[in-house]
Amino acid sequence: MKKGRKLSLVLISVLLLVGYGSAAAEVEIGSGDDVIWLNDNVVDKKLNAELQCDGEGANIDDYAILDSSSNRIYPTDSPDLSTNTTDLVYGPEETDEWVAPEPGKYFVKLECSSGSDEFESFHYDRLSVEISSPEDGSSVYTGTEKEVEVGLTSPADQLNYGRSSNGFRNFDYVKLMLNSDQIGQEEIQFASSTKVDVDVPKDAIQGTASLKAEVAYEESSQTPTTWTETTSNEVDIKDWKIETEYHPSQRLPSNRLSELNMTVKIMREGEPVKDLGPRHFFLEQGEESADTGDYEWFSGDFEGVTSDGRFAVYNLELQKMPKLQETKDYELDIRFKTGGDTDYDRKVGTVYVEKKFTFEGRVSDSDSRAIETAFRLQDDEYIEQFETNSRGFFSRRVMPGGFGMDVTFPRGGLVLNDVELSGDYSGNINYQYYEKPGDVEGIDLQGIDPINMMAVSFGYPFDSGSGSIQYNPAKTEDPMNVDLYECQRWNFWGEDCISGWDKVDEEDVTLPPTKWKAEFPVTPVETSEYGDEKQVLYSAYVIGTNSGLALDRLGLESYRVPSNEQFRVEGRAVTKGQPIENADVRIELLDGSQVVKSSSTTTDEEGVFSMDVETPEAGNYSLKAEISKGSYRPYSETLDSELEVYRQKSMSLDMPDSIEVGPGNTVEKIVTVENDGQTAFEDAALTVSESDLDISFSDSGFSVEPGEEKDITVSITVPEGFCDPSCVKYPTSDILLESDGFSEEFDLGVEIVEDSGAVSGSTENQQSDDSDQGTQNSPIPVTPAGQFLASQSSLNIALGLITVFSLALASAVKKKKGSEENDRGSRTINLQRPKVEPANSSDDEIDAVAENLDADGVDAVAEAMTEQDESQEDGEQESQDSEPQDDEDEEIEALAEAMKEEEENIESGASEESDEQTDEESTGQEADQEVTCDVCGESFDTESGMKLHKQAFH
């Protein structure tokens, strides 16, 4: 019962889960309403959204527009609905509750009775247009081209919500107006700013004018509506434009005023003014001339026009000194005047003459925050000390010249020699101290664990100097074992090292005990900022410790390799347990301390490296691996096991595929021994391993160097009787090549050819005379393989003849018995050739047997051989295995004795024929004494006949 209840609960749970999983809330914001622009000229500011709750019985419980803080915007109260779908429309024309929202991100929220919620986001935003250049109050010159930059911004950052497959909004153009005249237009798209080059009309009215920018915006591609936003700046329209460059400076001490020279460029209404001369320029102090006279203040002349043809260029040098009091500072205006119909009076510029130089500026960090700084200036006459104010500004009037200067920053400082303070140089000083330099991307100090860092920008020229930086000793295990790194060209505002980092020599870095401060020389860099090459400081300094490299894997495929070949080394480089990419890896083979072989590679992104190293000469070597990369602390490791390099031993033998030679012949062939190993052989030799032939070699105990070949003559002799009674076509001919622990066996590949003549390549001719051999040397016709007589030697044939002859004698004896033998019935004897195969036979023995046979015997032998061949063709396969020579000799002797005994019995029977009575009795006795073979059961009349039978067949 409980089991059924549990099953029901499980089914109910599954159904509930399925039911809830199928219910869903859907919010679909109208196409093109992902961004709603709030600008006044926008026609359509409403939001359209379709809301739906899916699932059986699911209705809308609540919906609302929420801001990014989940505050309810609309509707203010939860709607009372009993439906699963509705439209949400919110805009100024659809509801009295509409209030222009602040730009930002918003959400449409839908809650369903099934428990599912849905949120969909959209943005309200407002387009802003501004003219970023020229700024308010800037000068604009008639007849010239002016670049106007129009900036576009939006608080919700939806400015670049551009046209796409389902997007609709896009910018159209920016139009520029000067007062009521259009002076330029540029089409734009997806831009936060655009620059438009405009021509200022020559006849533009001089004075203040309104420069207006109008930006058109396409509201929707489905319902095209274009609205515009405008902005304007006030500019000063002028017909003259004058540019002046001062050398050596616009601000000079009175004792250097005589060095003043200027380059003046003059343009009016876009055209160069070329009709001026040195006499038109003069100095003026305030409203009164500093001095008057009939002579010219400046020397020089018109030099030509600029490359764009708009300016006339004049080079002027001050040739008359005004009368100035040494205790006062002056501002001297430089003007030019013309007379006649075109009476022009224009200011060229102002020169500041000071009795003392004002050393002033501001010390700030990269975020423009003030840095409290103390200065100490010292020259031959006095020492002056001062500090920056709370806003980082400093100002001190000093006599121009060179100073020793100490600059003390928070936790850092400079001591500079021969700092040039004069009107030629001015500017701010920047300083930044980094508590956590590892967070600065521009440092990029691979292999360095930075502790602290400082960056300094000092724009006054100096000769030499030193710096100091404090560091936190708690950030390193060994505070007195740290390194200093210098970036000579540091982008202060971009926080990036332009020149790269260099380690400062340890001998040049001082670490005073207990002060936790590093003192070091600073390196000024040359700059042409002031018109001539001067050395200033734009540097950064990091104090830290090296990150160490290591190997967490290093190994070889084998520690025993042949010389002059390659072996593989593999490993993995890490730093702090992490793989290090592009680290330099060098593998060295050492003989003691001497490097005999080396190879280099780099690690991949997983820190893994693999390389092939060539082995040296034979011997035992140490293998050392070195890893390095940039500022990382390098690492080296020597394997515990030595690498054993050995010289390979190998020789090969090149010889003919087949060497043909006949019995009684000798051939000589050339075989080539090649040392294809790496070891020289001093006492190499070729010997016969196993052979049925006579084989000898021309050389023994010869030497072969690596890569060398040695020709050896091999002599092969086949004995004269090698093929009697039979011939093996491919006799065993194995030779052995060996030397100094090397040994390898080869098959010489000799083929025996049964040819009475000399074999090609032989050095000894066959000595026997074919004419003397008679029929013995003639080939005997043979039946297929396995036939006994056709494959045996001449001795086997002789034995067969003897057997047949013996049987013939036995038959003759039986015929003498007359009717007695007929009464006994005929017997058929199954002839079987002796299973004898002597290795060598004597020609004399064969001849002796042949002489004892008459013509009838030969014919009988031939007839028996023919009958036996036919019986062998029917499938009988006789064994051709050779019997030992001694057994064969004994068998021959036994057969001879049996034949002699049988002949005696025949003669005795012939003498008894005259006596019939005796013959009858003898016949009766022979019948009574019939003998049977105890092996096969064959019956014989005489004991001698049975013995002959057993000798021949058993």
Side-chain angles (χ1 to χ4, degrees):
M1 190 68 180
K2 290 182 179 179
K3 182 176 181 181
R5 184 180 302 166
K6 290 182 179 179
L7 181 59
S8 300
L9 291 174
V10 171
L11 290 173
I12 293 171
S13 300
V14 171
L15 290 173
L16 288 173
L17 289 173
V18 172
Y20 280 119
S22 61
E26 296 183 6
V27 176
E28 174 121 6
I29 294 178
S31 180
D33 290 337
D34 290 342
V35 178
I36 299 174
W37 295 98
L38 301 173
N39 294 65
D40 294 338
N41 295 327
V42 174
V43 175
D44 188 4
K45 298 185 179 68
K46 70 182 176 204
L47 170 71
N48 291 283
E50 295 179 0
L51 313 178
Q52 181 173 333
C53 293
D54 295 332
E56 185 176 354
N59 288 324
I60 296 175
D61 280 352
D62 187 20
Y63 66 83
I65 298 175
L66 308 178
D67 63 13
S68 58
S69 300
S70 298
N71 297 317
R72 195 181 188 97
I73 305 300
Y74 174 83
T76 56
D77 298 322
S78 298
D80 185 12
L81 297 174
S82 59
T83 180
N84 67 337
T85 180
T86 189
D87 292 332
L88 171 60
V89 181
Y90 181 59
E93 298 179 358
E94 283 69 31
T95 175
D96 295 336
E97 300 180 30
W98 191 87
V99 177
E102 292 295 323
K105 189 174 185 178
Y106 290 80
F107 301 89
V108 175
K109 176 186 177 184
L110 172 62
E111 295 181 359
C112 298
S113 60
S114 60
S116 59
D117 297 340
E118 178 70 11
F119 292 85
E120 190 71 26
S121 65
F122 68 99
H123 288 83
Y124 284 112
D125 206 352
R126 185 184 300 275
L127 175 68
S128 298
V129 182
E130 64 178 11
I131 298 176
S132 53
S133 174
E135 300 177 353
D136 264 333
S138 299
S139 296
V140 177
Y141 299 93
T142 60
T144 63
E145 184 180 83
K146 181 66 177 178
E147 181 182 78
V148 180
E149 183 173 1
V150 179
L152 310 174
T153 61
S154 65
D157 198 24
Q158 298 301 301
L159 183 65
N160 291 330
Y161 179 76
R163 189 186 304 278
S164 63
S165 60
N166 60 354
F168 307 100
R169 298 183 171 88
N170 189 21
F171 295 109
D172 261 0
Y173 64 84
V174 58
K175 183 187 298 182
L176 297 172
M177 311 286 290
L178 188 61
N179 290 334
S180 59
D181 298 327
Q182 178 176 331
I183 58 174
Q185 178 171 319
E186 181 80 16
E187 293 184 0
I188 59 175
Q189 183 176 7
F190 302 118
S192 58
S193 67
T194 189
K195 295 179 180 180
V196 183
D197 293 328
V198 298
D199 291 324
V200 181
K202 289 184 178 181
D203 57 355
I205 301 175
Q206 298 183 48
T208 302
S210 175
L211 180 62
K212 182 173 65 175
E214 177 183 282
V215 177
Y217 192 82
E218 185 180 295
E219 184 177 344
S220 172
S221 62
Q222 291 186 348
T223 57
T225 303
T226 301
W227 47 275
T228 59
E229 287 295 320
T230 60
T231 188
S232 63
N233 284 357
E234 299 296 326
V235 294
D236 186 14
I237 299 178
K238 298 180 179 179
D239 59 345
W240 289 84
K241 185 174 184 180
I242 302 173
E243 297 177 356
T244 304
E245 297 175 3
Y246 303 89
H247 307 285
S249 175
Q250 189 177 9
R251 188 182 298 270
L252 295 168
S254 57
N255 61 345
R256 296 186 62 188
L257 182 59
S258 59
E259 300 176 16
L260 177 65
N261 64 83
M262 301 177 300
T263 299
V264 182
K265 300 177 183 178
I266 303 175
M267 176 190 69
R268 181 175 183 270
E269 295 181 353
E271 300 293 335
V273 179
K274 299 184 287 186
D275 53 355
L276 301 177
R279 60 186 178 84
H280 296 107
F281 297 87
F282 61 93
L283 289 178
E284 185 177 74
Q285 181 182 1
E287 297 182 357
E288 298 180 359
S289 175
D291 197 359
T292 58
D294 295 333
Y295 54 84
E296 298 175 357
W297 285 94
F298 294 92
S299 63
D301 205 349
F302 168 68
E303 294 294 329
V305 298
T306 56
S307 58
D308 59 6
R310 297 197 175 196
F311 288 90
V313 181
Y314 297 87
N315 287 330
L316 304 172
E317 294 182 9
L318 185 64
Q319 66 176 6
K320 176 186 176 183
M321 292 296 297
K323 295 178 180 180
L324 304 175
Q325 298 181 23
E326 294 183 358
T327 58
K328 294 179 61 176
D329 295 334
Y330 295 90
E331 293 183 6
L332 302 180
D333 291 339
I334 304 170
R335 306 180 68 88
F336 72 83
K337 292 183 179 181
T338 62
D341 296 335
T342 56
D343 187 6
Y344 301 125
D345 186 349
R346 291 290 183 271
K347 181 179 177 180
V348 172
T350 302
V351 176
Y352 301 93
V353 182
E354 299 177 340
K355 184 177 184 296
K356 284 189 174 183
F357 167 71
T358 301
F359 174 50
E360 61 183 355
R362 184 173 185 261
V363 182
S364 62
D365 63 13
S366 59
D367 293 324
S368 296
R369 293 173 296 195
I371 299 295
E372 294 182 2
T373 306
F375 294 91
R376 182 179 184 274
L377 302 181
Q378 181 177 357
D379 65 4
D380 295 337
E381 297 181 0
Y382 66 99
I383 296 175
E384 191 161 354
Q385 299 181 4
F386 54 95
E387 297 178 353
T388 59
N389 61 21
S390 59
R391 297 171 57 194
F393 288 97
F394 64 90
S395 179
R396 184 67 53 164
R397 289 179 61 79
V398 296
M399 293 298 295
F403 290 84
M405 182 183 296
D406 295 354
V407 185
T408 304
F409 306 111
R411 292 174 288 187
L414 297 172
V415 178
L416 306 177
N417 303 318
D418 198 17
V419 181
E420 295 186 37
L421 299 181
S422 68
D424 296 340
Y425 316 107
S426 63
N428 296 327
I429 299 172
N430 302 111
Y431 171 81
Q432 183 85 35
Y433 185 85
Y434 295 89
E435 289 279 4
K436 298 179 179 180
D439 296 339
V440 181
E441 293 183 2
I443 291 181
D444 192 25
L445 264 173
Q446 292 188 352
I448 301 300
D449 293 329
I451 300 174
N452 296 113
M453 168 182 163
M454 79 172 189
V456 181
S457 174
F458 186 86
Y460 295 88
F462 66 98
D463 180 58
S464 62
S466 63
S468 63
I469 177 176
Q470 294 181 356
Y471 62 94
N472 186 351
K475 290 187 176 183
T476 177
E477 295 180 357
D478 187 0
M480 294 303 294
N481 186 20
V482 294
D483 295 313
L484 186 75
Y485 295 86
E486 178 185 40
C487 172
Q488 294 187 8
R489 293 184 179 272
W490 175 259
N491 181 351
F492 193 87
W493 305 105
E495 294 186 325
D496 181 37
C497 181
I498 301 173
S499 61
W501 294 91
D502 296 308
K503 183 180 177 181
V504 180
D505 196 315
E506 295 178 359
E507 296 181 357
D508 295 332
V509 180
T510 303
L511 301 172
T514 71
K515 290 186 178 181
W516 313 125
K517 179 175 69 173
E519 298 174 349
F520 51 88
V522 297
T523 306
V525 295
E526 291 185 349
T527 177
S528 57
E529 181 181 352
Y530 303 118
D532 53 355
E533 296 296 327
K534 294 291 182 180
Q535 296 188 117
V536 295
L537 189 66
Y538 300 125
S539 302
Y541 301 89
V542 169
I543 191 165
T545 57
N546 291 95
S547 298
L549 298 175
L551 284 171
D552 69 351
R553 185 171 76 248
L554 177 65
L556 311 178
E557 293 178 345
S558 173
Y559 285 84
R560 188 174 185 273
V561 293
S563 63
N564 298 324
E565 292 192 6
Q566 291 185 334
F567 65 97
R568 176 64 56 88
V569 183
E570 296 179 342
R572 182 173 181 260
V574 297
T575 177
K576 296 182 179 179
Q578 299 300 314
I580 182 73
E581 184 179 5
N582 290 329
D584 295 322
V585 181
R586 176 180 170 86
I587 300 296
E588 296 179 345
L589 287 182
L590 303 175
D591 185 3
S593 60
Q594 181 180 3
V595 178
V596 293
K597 291 287 183 180
S598 66
S599 183
S600 300
T601 187
T602 56
T603 58
D604 61 18
E605 60 184 5
E606 298 297 329
V608 175
F609 65 88
S610 176
M611 73 178 81
D612 293 326
V613 183
E614 184 177 349
T615 57
E617 294 298 323
N620 292 334
Y621 299 91
S622 300
L623 188 141
K624 181 180 180 181
E626 296 179 343
I627 315 171
S628 61
K629 181 180 180 180
S631 301
Y632 287 93
R633 188 169 61 253
Y635 175 82
S636 65
E637 178 180 333
T638 301
L639 290 178
D640 295 334
S641 301
E642 287 190 333
L643 180 70
E644 179 187 353
V645 180
Y646 64 91
R647 293 180 64 89
Q648 285 183 313
K649 294 182 177 181
S650 176
M651 284 192 291
S652 62
L653 187 63
D654 185 18
M655 53 189 175
D657 293 336
S658 177
I659 301 175
E660 295 183 352
V661 59
N665 290 311
T666 298
V667 297
E668 291 183 350
K669 295 292 184 181
I670 301 296
V671 296
T672 301
V673 177
E674 180 183 1
N675 185 346
D676 52 8
Q678 300 171 341
T679 305
F681 291 98
E682 300 296 335
D683 191 19
L686 283 169
T687 59
V688 178
S689 173
E690 180 181 358
S691 180
D692 298 331
L693 310 175
D694 294 333
I695 300 174
S696 62
F697 304 96
S698 61
D699 291 335
S700 63
F702 53 87
S703 61
V704 192
E705 294 295 324
E708 183 184 359
E709 294 182 349
K710 179 75 173 179
D711 289 339
I712 305 295
T713 301
V714 57
S715 176
I716 305 166
T717 300
V718 179
E720 218 173 287
F722 186 80
C723 287
D724 295 331
S726 64
C727 202
V728 179
K729 188 172 186 180
Y730 300 103
T732 302
S733 303
D734 294 337
I735 59 176
L736 190 66
L737 175 60
E738 55 186 349
S739 175
D740 300 335
F742 172 84
S743 178
E744 188 167 350
E745 193 173 69
F746 301 88
D747 183 6
L748 193 57
V750 177
E751 179 182 359
I752 301 299
V753 292
E754 294 189 65
D755 186 0
S756 59
V759 178
S760 174
S762 66
T763 58
E764 180 178 347
N765 293 328
Q766 182 78 298
Q767 300 297 322
S768 60
D769 187 359
D770 292 341
S771 62
D772 296 334
Q773 298 300 320
T775 58
Q776 292 183 3
N777 286 340
S778 300
I780 300 174
V782 295
T783 56
Q787 306 275 334
F788 180 75
L789 289 176
S791 62
Q792 303 304 312
S793 65
S794 58
L795 179 59
N796 296 37
I797 299 173
L799 292 176
L801 294 175
I802 292 172
T803 302
V804 173
F805 181 71
S806 300
L807 292 175
L809 290 176
S811 177
V813 173
K814 293 179 183 180
K815 289 179 180 180
K816 293 288 184 179
K817 305 304 178 183
S819 60
E820 290 87 357
E821 290 185 357
N822 294 330
D823 294 339
R824 295 186 185 113
S826 61
R827 293 185 179 91
T828 301
I829 300 175
N830 184 19
L831 289 176
Q832 298 291 334
R833 296 175 187 176
K835 200 172 185 180
V836 180
E837 193 173 314
N840 295 295
S841 59
S842 171
D843 292 338
D844 295 336
E845 293 173 348
I846 299 172
D847 295 337
V849 173
E851 289 175 359
N852 293 327
L853 294 177
D854 55 10
D856 295 337
V858 171
D859 294 338
V861 170
E863 182 179 355
M865 289 175 59
T866 303
E867 292 175 355
Q868 186 66 19
D869 289 341
E870 291 175 355
S871 66
Q872 291 293 337
E873 289 175 359
D874 292 337
E876 294 182 9
Q877 180 68 39
E878 294 296 329
S879 171
Q880 300 182 19
D881 297 334
S882 299
E883 298 293 333
Q885 182 67 45
D886 294 339
D887 295 340
E888 292 170 355
D889 294 339
E890 292 175 2
E891 190 171 7
I892 293 172
E893 292 175 359
L895 288 173
E897 290 177 0
M899 292 172 62
K900 182 178 181 181
E901 182 179 347
E902 187 65 24
E903 289 175 355
E904 292 175 354
N905 290 337
I906 294 173
E907 292 175 358
S908 175
S911 62
E912 292 176 355
E913 287 180 355
S914 60
D915 190 353
E916 182 177 349
Q917 180 66 33
T918 304
D919 184 68
E920 290 176 356
E921 291 177 358
S922 176
T923 304
Q925 292 175 357
E926 290 287 333
D928 295 337
Q929 296 178 358
E930 184 175 332
V931 181
T932 302
C933 178
D934 59 354
V935 177
C936 62
E938 184 76 24
S939 298
F940 295 92
D941 294 334
T942 64
E943 182 74 20
S944 60
M946 187 272 293
K947 288 182 180 180
L948 181 62
H949 161 77
K950 292 182 70 174
Q951 289 288 337
F953 300 103
H954 301 305

